[in-house]
Amino acid sequence: HVQLVESGGGSVQTGGSLGLTCTASGDSYCLGWLRQAPGKEREGVAAVDTDGVTSYGDSVKGRFTISKNNAEHILYLQMDRLNPEVTAMYYCAAGPLYGGACPTAPARYNLWDQGTQVTVS
């Protein structure tokens, strides 16, 4: 049974950086970050599997970095060079492997936390 507890987020000016942290108790093959902006569908941001293999949504490649500390069961998302387009509620999520990989597609995740707001102005 996986439990997710997220922290971080907040407000920052364009060009700044923010970090998100998620403590993931229990075992899950895929851990990822999803986001949802007002009036938009939820979208995948980044994912990482148990071996540390990562995947990213096209819009965040080169600016966001997902990582995890297996020993501490902590998932991170470092967000750099932020712009207002990334303003959204961000969710830590867990799910199974698909085809041996961890997708970023939100529909592939069966558990997520309450989310934290990220605002860039």
PDB file of all heavy atoms in Angstrom, residues 42-69:
ATOM      1  N   ARG A  42      -5.465  17.293 -16.839  1.00  0.00           N
ATOM      2  CA  ARG A  42      -4.260  16.915 -16.123  1.00  0.00           C
ATOM      3  C   ARG A  42      -3.238  16.374 -17.111  1.00  0.00           C
ATOM      4  O   ARG A  42      -3.585  15.630 -18.029  1.00  0.00           O
ATOM      5  CB  ARG A  42      -4.587  15.852 -15.066  1.00  0.00           C
ATOM      6  CG  ARG A  42      -3.450  15.549 -14.120  1.00  0.00           C
ATOM      7  CD  ARG A  42      -3.927  14.712 -12.941  1.00  0.00           C
ATOM      8  NE  ARG A  42      -4.833  15.471 -12.087  1.00  0.00           N
ATOM      9  CZ  ARG A  42      -5.266  15.032 -10.904  1.00  0.00           C
ATOM     10  NH1 ARG A  42      -4.865  13.851 -10.464  1.00  0.00           N
ATOM     11  NH2 ARG A  42      -6.091  15.760 -10.199  1.00  0.00           N
ATOM     12  N   GLU A  43      -1.970  16.735 -16.943  1.00  0.00           N
ATOM     13  CA  GLU A  43      -0.931  16.272 -17.849  1.00  0.00           C
ATOM     14  C   GLU A  43       0.254  15.724 -17.074  1.00  0.00           C
ATOM     15  O   GLU A  43       0.494  16.082 -15.921  1.00  0.00           O
ATOM     16  CB  GLU A  43      -0.465  17.407 -18.774  1.00  0.00           C
ATOM     17  CG  GLU A  43       0.239  18.541 -18.072  1.00  0.00           C
ATOM     18  CD  GLU A  43       0.853  19.543 -19.036  1.00  0.00           C
ATOM     19  OE1 GLU A  43       1.362  19.119 -20.100  1.00  0.00           O
ATOM     20  OE2 GLU A  43       0.841  20.745 -18.703  1.00  0.00           O
ATOM     21  N   GLY A  44       0.985  14.851 -17.722  1.00  0.00           N
ATOM     22  CA  GLY A  44       2.162  14.265 -17.111  1.00  0.00           C
ATOM     23  C   GLY A  44       3.352  15.201 -17.211  1.00  0.00           C
ATOM     24  O   GLY A  44       3.550  15.850 -18.233  1.00  0.00           O
ATOM     25  N   VAL A  45       4.131  15.251 -16.162  1.00  0.00           N
ATOM     26  CA  VAL A  45       5.304  16.109 -16.121  1.00  0.00           C
ATOM     27  C   VAL A  45       6.582  15.282 -16.228  1.00  0.00           C
ATOM     28  O   VAL A  45       7.426  15.517 -17.087  1.00  0.00           O
ATOM     29  CB  VAL A  45       5.324  16.934 -14.824  1.00  0.00           C
ATOM     30  CG1 VAL A  45       6.602  17.761 -14.726  1.00  0.00           C
ATOM     31  CG2 VAL A  45       4.105  17.843 -14.744  1.00  0.00           C
ATOM     32  N   ALA A  46       6.715  14.320 -15.343  1.00  0.00           N
ATOM     33  CA  ALA A  46       7.933  13.509 -15.328  1.00  0.00           C
ATOM     34  C   ALA A  46       7.660  12.226 -14.562  1.00  0.00           C
ATOM     35  O   ALA A  46       6.742  12.161 -13.747  1.00  0.00           O
ATOM     36  CB  ALA A  46       9.088  14.273 -14.684  1.00  0.00           C
ATOM     37  N   ALA A  47       8.489  11.214 -14.845  1.00  0.00           N
ATOM     38  CA  ALA A  47       8.340   9.928 -14.163  1.00  0.00           C
ATOM     39  C   ALA A  47       9.707   9.274 -13.992  1.00  0.00           C
ATOM     40  O   ALA A  47      10.649   9.565 -14.742  1.00  0.00           O
ATOM     41  CB  ALA A  47       7.412   9.005 -14.956  1.00  0.00           C
ATOM     42  N   VAL A  48       9.779   8.378 -13.008  1.00  0.00           N
ATOM     43  CA  VAL A  48      11.026   7.646 -12.766  1.00  0.00           C
ATOM     44  C   VAL A  48      10.680   6.246 -12.298  1.00  0.00           C
ATOM     45  O   VAL A  48       9.728   6.048 -11.537  1.00  0.00           O
ATOM     46  CB  VAL A  48      11.910   8.386 -11.730  1.00  0.00           C
ATOM     47  CG1 VAL A  48      11.206   8.538 -10.388  1.00  0.00           C
ATOM     48  CG2 VAL A  48      13.255   7.699 -11.571  1.00  0.00           C
ATOM     49  N   ASP A  49      11.442   5.239 -12.776  1.00  0.00           N
ATOM     50  CA  ASP A  49      11.167   3.872 -12.359  1.00  0.00           C
ATOM     51  C   ASP A  49      12.120   3.464 -11.238  1.00  0.00           C
ATOM     52  O   ASP A  49      12.923   4.260 -10.771  1.00  0.00           O
ATOM     53  CB  ASP A  49      11.237   2.922 -13.544  1.00  0.00           C
ATOM     54  CG  ASP A  49      12.643   2.730 -14.109  1.00  0.00           C
ATOM     55  OD1 ASP A  49      13.632   3.139 -13.461  1.00  0.00           O
ATOM     56  OD2 ASP A  49      12.750   2.169 -15.217  1.00  0.00           O
ATOM     57  N   THR A  50      12.020   2.210 -10.835  1.00  0.00           N
ATOM     58  CA  THR A  50      12.801   1.736  -9.700  1.00  0.00           C
ATOM     59  C   THR A  50      14.310   1.727  -9.974  1.00  0.00           C
ATOM     60  O   THR A  50      15.105   1.737  -9.046  1.00  0.00           O
ATOM     61  CB  THR A  50      12.361   0.328  -9.295  1.00  0.00           C
ATOM     62  OG1 THR A  50      12.405  -0.519 -10.441  1.00  0.00           O
ATOM     63  CG2 THR A  50      10.948   0.339  -8.730  1.00  0.00           C
ATOM     64  N   ASP A  51      14.689   1.697 -11.253  1.00  0.00           N
ATOM     65  CA  ASP A  51      16.109   1.725 -11.612  1.00  0.00           C
ATOM     66  C   ASP A  51      16.626   3.142 -11.849  1.00  0.00           C
ATOM     67  O   ASP A  51      17.791   3.317 -12.198  1.00  0.00           O
ATOM     68  CB  ASP A  51      16.349   0.888 -12.868  1.00  0.00           C
ATOM     69  CG  ASP A  51      16.093  -0.587 -12.639  1.00  0.00           C
ATOM     70  OD1 ASP A  51      16.367  -1.058 -11.511  1.00  0.00           O
ATOM     71  OD2 ASP A  51      15.590  -1.259 -13.556  1.00  0.00           O
ATOM     72  N   GLY A  52      15.763   4.126 -11.693  1.00  0.00           N
ATOM     73  CA  GLY A  52      16.177   5.510 -11.884  1.00  0.00           C
ATOM     74  C   GLY A  52      16.055   6.007 -13.303  1.00  0.00           C
ATOM     75  O   GLY A  52      16.512   7.123 -13.616  1.00  0.00           O
ATOM     76  N   VAL A  53      15.460   5.221 -14.184  1.00  0.00           N
ATOM     77  CA  VAL A  53      15.242   5.657 -15.565  1.00  0.00           C
ATOM     78  C   VAL A  53      14.116   6.694 -15.579  1.00  0.00           C
ATOM     79  O   VAL A  53      13.041   6.454 -15.034  1.00  0.00           O
ATOM     80  CB  VAL A  53      14.885   4.473 -16.471  1.00  0.00           C
ATOM     81  CG1 VAL A  53      14.608   4.956 -17.890  1.00  0.00           C
ATOM     82  CG2 VAL A  53      16.014   3.450 -16.464  1.00  0.00           C
ATOM     83  N   THR A  54      14.382   7.827 -16.210  1.00  0.00           N
ATOM     84  CA  THR A  54      13.438   8.933 -16.173  1.00  0.00           C
ATOM     85  C   THR A  54      12.783   9.183 -17.528  1.00  0.00           C
ATOM     86  O   THR A  54      13.313   8.811 -18.576  1.00  0.00           O
ATOM     87  CB  THR A  54      14.134  10.222 -15.725  1.00  0.00           C
ATOM     88  OG1 THR A  54      15.201  10.518 -16.649  1.00  0.00           O
ATOM     89  CG2 THR A  54      14.724  10.066 -14.329  1.00  0.00           C
ATOM     90  N   SER A  55      11.637   9.823 -17.485  1.00  0.00           N
ATOM     91  CA  SER A  55      10.955  10.277 -18.692  1.00  0.00           C
ATOM     92  C   SER A  55      10.296  11.605 -18.377  1.00  0.00           C
ATOM     93  O   SER A  55       9.934  11.869 -17.216  1.00  0.00           O
ATOM     94  CB  SER A  55       9.928   9.258 -19.180  1.00  0.00           C
ATOM     95  OG  SER A  55       8.990   8.963 -18.169  1.00  0.00           O
ATOM     96  N   TYR A  56      10.129  12.446 -19.406  1.00  0.00           N
ATOM     97  CA  TYR A  56       9.603  13.792 -19.212  1.00  0.00           C
ATOM     98  C   TYR A  56       8.576  14.143 -20.268  1.00  0.00           C
ATOM     99  O   TYR A  56       8.640  13.669 -21.407  1.00  0.00           O
ATOM    100  CB  TYR A  56      10.740  14.820 -19.304  1.00  0.00           C
ATOM    101  CG  TYR A  56      11.758  14.723 -18.196  1.00  0.00           C
ATOM    102  CD1 TYR A  56      12.897  13.930 -18.335  1.00  0.00           C
ATOM    103  CD2 TYR A  56      11.572  15.419 -17.008  1.00  0.00           C
ATOM    104  CE1 TYR A  56      13.820  13.838 -17.307  1.00  0.00           C
ATOM    105  CE2 TYR A  56      12.498  15.336 -15.987  1.00  0.00           C
ATOM    106  CZ  TYR A  56      13.626  14.544 -16.144  1.00  0.00           C
ATOM    107  OH  TYR A  56      14.540  14.458 -15.121  1.00  0.00           O
ATOM    108  N   GLY A  57       7.649  15.006 -19.863  1.00  0.00           N
ATOM    109  CA  GLY A  57       6.762  15.587 -20.838  1.00  0.00           C
ATOM    110  C   GLY A  57       7.549  16.550 -21.717  1.00  0.00           C
ATOM    111  O   GLY A  57       8.513  17.167 -21.272  1.00  0.00           O
ATOM    112  N   ASP A  58       7.126  16.684 -22.971  1.00  0.00           N
ATOM    113  CA  ASP A  58       7.885  17.494 -23.922  1.00  0.00           C
ATOM    114  C   ASP A  58       8.042  18.943 -23.456  1.00  0.00           C
ATOM    115  O   ASP A  58       9.074  19.571 -23.701  1.00  0.00           O
ATOM    116  CB  ASP A  58       7.191  17.471 -25.286  1.00  0.00           C
ATOM    117  CG  ASP A  58       7.323  16.124 -25.981  1.00  0.00           C
ATOM    118  OD1 ASP A  58       8.226  15.346 -25.603  1.00  0.00           O
ATOM    119  OD2 ASP A  58       6.519  15.842 -26.885  1.00  0.00           O
ATOM    120  N   SER A  59       7.047  19.475 -22.784  1.00  0.00           N
ATOM    121  CA  SER A  59       7.078  20.889 -22.424  1.00  0.00           C
ATOM    122  C   SER A  59       8.056  21.210 -21.298  1.00  0.00           C
ATOM    123  O   SER A  59       8.370  22.380 -21.076  1.00  0.00           O
ATOM    124  CB  SER A  59       5.678  21.368 -22.027  1.00  0.00           C
ATOM    125  OG  SER A  59       5.245  20.688 -20.860  1.00  0.00           O
ATOM    126  N   VAL A  60       8.551  20.204 -20.595  1.00  0.00           N
ATOM    127  CA  VAL A  60       9.431  20.470 -19.454  1.00  0.00           C
ATOM    128  C   VAL A  60      10.842  19.955 -19.652  1.00  0.00           C
ATOM    129  O   VAL A  60      11.703  20.171 -18.794  1.00  0.00           O
ATOM    130  CB  VAL A  60       8.857  19.878 -18.150  1.00  0.00           C
ATOM    131  CG1 VAL A  60       7.444  20.394 -17.916  1.00  0.00           C
ATOM    132  CG2 VAL A  60       8.901  18.351 -18.170  1.00  0.00           C
ATOM    133  N   LYS A  61      11.086  19.281 -20.758  1.00  0.00           N
ATOM    134  CA  LYS A  61      12.416  18.727 -20.999  1.00  0.00           C
ATOM    135  C   LYS A  61      13.466  19.832 -20.987  1.00  0.00           C
ATOM    136  O   LYS A  61      13.288  20.877 -21.600  1.00  0.00           O
ATOM    137  CB  LYS A  61      12.448  17.993 -22.336  1.00  0.00           C
ATOM    138  CG  LYS A  61      11.720  16.664 -22.330  1.00  0.00           C
ATOM    139  CD  LYS A  61      11.777  15.987 -23.693  1.00  0.00           C
ATOM    140  CE  LYS A  61      11.038  14.662 -23.682  1.00  0.00           C
ATOM    141  NZ  LYS A  61      11.031  14.009 -25.022  1.00  0.00           N
ATOM    142  N   GLY A  62      14.531  19.587 -20.262  1.00  0.00           N
ATOM    143  CA  GLY A  62      15.610  20.555 -20.179  1.00  0.00           C
ATOM    144  C   GLY A  62      15.442  21.575 -19.072  1.00  0.00           C
ATOM    145  O   GLY A  62      16.377  22.309 -18.752  1.00  0.00           O
ATOM    146  N   ARG A  63      14.256  21.660 -18.490  1.00  0.00           N
ATOM    147  CA  ARG A  63      14.012  22.637 -17.426  1.00  0.00           C
ATOM    148  C   ARG A  63      13.647  21.985 -16.105  1.00  0.00           C
ATOM    149  O   ARG A  63      13.867  22.548 -15.041  1.00  0.00           O
ATOM    150  CB  ARG A  63      12.909  23.610 -17.840  1.00  0.00           C
ATOM    151  CG  ARG A  63      13.278  24.468 -19.045  1.00  0.00           C
ATOM    152  CD  ARG A  63      12.243  25.539 -19.301  1.00  0.00           C
ATOM    153  NE  ARG A  63      10.954  24.949 -19.652  1.00  0.00           N
ATOM    154  CZ  ARG A  63       9.805  25.301 -19.093  1.00  0.00           C
ATOM    155  NH1 ARG A  63       9.780  26.202 -18.126  1.00  0.00           N
ATOM    156  NH2 ARG A  63       8.673  24.750 -19.479  1.00  0.00           N
ATOM    157  N   PHE A  64      13.040  20.794 -16.154  1.00  0.00           N
ATOM    158  CA  PHE A  64      12.654  20.078 -14.952  1.00  0.00           C
ATOM    159  C   PHE A  64      13.521  18.837 -14.812  1.00  0.00           C
ATOM    160  O   PHE A  64      13.906  18.209 -15.811  1.00  0.00           O
ATOM    161  CB  PHE A  64      11.189  19.646 -15.018  1.00  0.00           C
ATOM    162  CG  PHE A  64      10.186  20.754 -14.873  1.00  0.00           C
ATOM    163  CD1 PHE A  64      10.540  22.082 -15.023  1.00  0.00           C
ATOM    164  CD2 PHE A  64       8.864  20.456 -14.605  1.00  0.00           C
ATOM    165  CE1 PHE A  64       9.614  23.100 -14.892  1.00  0.00           C
ATOM    166  CE2 PHE A  64       7.913  21.457 -14.471  1.00  0.00           C
ATOM    167  CZ  PHE A  64       8.286  22.775 -14.620  1.00  0.00           C
ATOM    168  N   THR A  65      13.800  18.464 -13.565  1.00  0.00           N
ATOM    169  CA  THR A  65      14.578  17.259 -13.287  1.00  0.00           C
ATOM    170  C   THR A  65      13.896  16.453 -12.198  1.00  0.00           C
ATOM    171  O   THR A  65      13.670  16.968 -11.094  1.00  0.00           O
ATOM    172  CB  THR A  65      16.000  17.602 -12.833  1.00  0.00           C
ATOM    173  OG1 THR A  65      16.642  18.415 -13.829  1.00  0.00           O
ATOM    174  CG2 THR A  65      16.813  16.331 -12.627  1.00  0.00           C
ATOM    175  N   ILE A  66      13.581  15.205 -12.519  1.00  0.00           N
ATOM    176  CA  ILE A  66      13.000  14.303 -11.530  1.00  0.00           C
ATOM    177  C   ILE A  66      14.098  13.404 -10.991  1.00  0.00           C
ATOM    178  O   ILE A  66      14.986  12.972 -11.737  1.00  0.00           O
ATOM    179  CB  ILE A  66      11.845  13.471 -12.128  1.00  0.00           C
ATOM    180  CG1 ILE A  66      11.126  12.680 -11.035  1.00  0.00           C
ATOM    181  CG2 ILE A  66      12.339  12.553 -13.238  1.00  0.00           C
ATOM    182  CD1 ILE A  66       9.852  11.991 -11.517  1.00  0.00           C
ATOM    183  N   SER A  67      14.055  13.143  -9.707  1.00  0.00           N
ATOM    184  CA  SER A  67      15.032  12.250  -9.095  1.00  0.00           C
ATOM    185  C   SER A  67      14.416  11.642  -7.846  1.00  0.00           C
ATOM    186  O   SER A  67      13.367  12.099  -7.391  1.00  0.00           O
ATOM    187  CB  SER A  67      16.314  12.995  -8.737  1.00  0.00           C
ATOM    188  OG  SER A  67      16.053  14.022  -7.805  1.00  0.00           O
ATOM    189  N   LYS A  68      15.070  10.622  -7.337  1.00  0.00           N
ATOM    190  CA  LYS A  68      14.546  10.030  -6.104  1.00  0.00           C
ATOM    191  C   LYS A  68      15.669   9.447  -5.264  1.00  0.00           C
ATOM    192  O   LYS A  68      16.730   9.080  -5.778  1.00  0.00           O
ATOM    193  CB  LYS A  68      13.514   8.953  -6.414  1.00  0.00           C
ATOM    194  CG  LYS A  68      14.044   7.748  -7.150  1.00  0.00           C
ATOM    195  CD  LYS A  68      12.925   6.721  -7.300  1.00  0.00           C
ATOM    196  CE  LYS A  68      13.442   5.455  -7.964  1.00  0.00           C
ATOM    197  NZ  LYS A  68      12.417   4.389  -7.995  1.00  0.00           N
ATOM    198  N   ASN A  69      15.426   9.418  -3.991  1.00  0.00           N
ATOM    199  CA  ASN A  69      16.316   8.809  -3.024  1.00  0.00           C
ATOM    200  C   ASN A  69      15.657   7.521  -2.576  1.00  0.00           C
ATOM    201  O   ASN A  69      14.688   7.548  -1.818  1.00  0.00           O
ATOM    202  CB  ASN A  69      16.534   9.769  -1.848  1.00  0.00           C
ATOM    203  CG  ASN A  69      17.474   9.210  -0.812  1.00  0.00           C
ATOM    204  OD1 ASN A  69      17.445   8.027  -0.504  1.00  0.00           O
ATOM    205  ND2 ASN A  69      18.304  10.072  -0.269  1.00  0.00           N
TER     206      ASN A  69
END
